[in-house]
Amino acid sequence: FEQIIKLTKKIVEQKNAKFYFVYLPSYSYTDQNFIDLNYQKVKDIINNLEIPFIDINQLVLKKEKDPKSLFPFKIWNHFTVDGYSKVGNAVFEAIK
């Protein structure tokens, strides 16, 4: 993973563009007791490479009273239209 991110960063910099890493949580994050064993590893790699880390769990899911409502029928799936709208707005706000 780290090698891929390093290579991607190098390519992006060669194109004189800006690289943002968006951590998009899965439905599992809606469970209060869920622990993502890879989250901190991923975040550390991204931060060590000085890439902006946009954490959708913190910016969207944790701010929702009912985060499961961002998924169709409140079950594992893609986000709803409202969910994608909130994710898109969070990314937009983070990069502007």
Side-chain angles (χ1 to χ4, degrees):
F1 174 77
E2 187 171 359
Q3 290 175 339
I4 292 169
I5 295 299
K6 282 180 180 178
L7 178 59
T8 303
K9 181 180 179 187
K10 181 179 178 182
I11 292 169
V12 168
E13 288 172 347
Q14 288 172 347
K15 303 277 183 192
N16 203 26
K18 182 74 175 169
F19 183 17
Y20 296 90
F21 187 90
V22 179
Y23 197 85
L24 190 63
S26 70
Y27 178 80
S28 301
Y29 275 78
T30 63
D31 292 328
Q32 289 181 330
N33 297 325
F34 176 71
I35 298 172
D36 184 344
L37 300 175
N38 293 311
Y39 172 83
Q40 196 58 52
K41 292 177 193 174
V42 169
K43 188 172 182 178
D44 289 346
I45 290 168
I46 299 304
N47 288 335
N48 288 338
L49 293 171
E50 299 178 342
I51 298 168
F53 186 86
I54 301 172
D55 189 345
I56 298 302
N57 185 47
Q58 295 295 321
L59 296 173
V60 177
L61 291 187
K62 290 212 179 225
K63 293 183 177 179
E64 289 293 313
K65 184 175 181 178
D66 180 13
K68 289 182 182 193
S69 69
L70 300 177
F71 297 87
F73 309 110
K74 295 186 177 186
I75 60 173
W76 181 88
N77 209 322
H78 293 280
F79 286 103
T80 61
V81 170
D82 185 45
Y84 278 119
S85 177
K86 289 180 179 191
V87 168
N89 287 334
V91 171
F92 178 75
E93 288 299 317
I95 65 174
K96 75 174 190 174

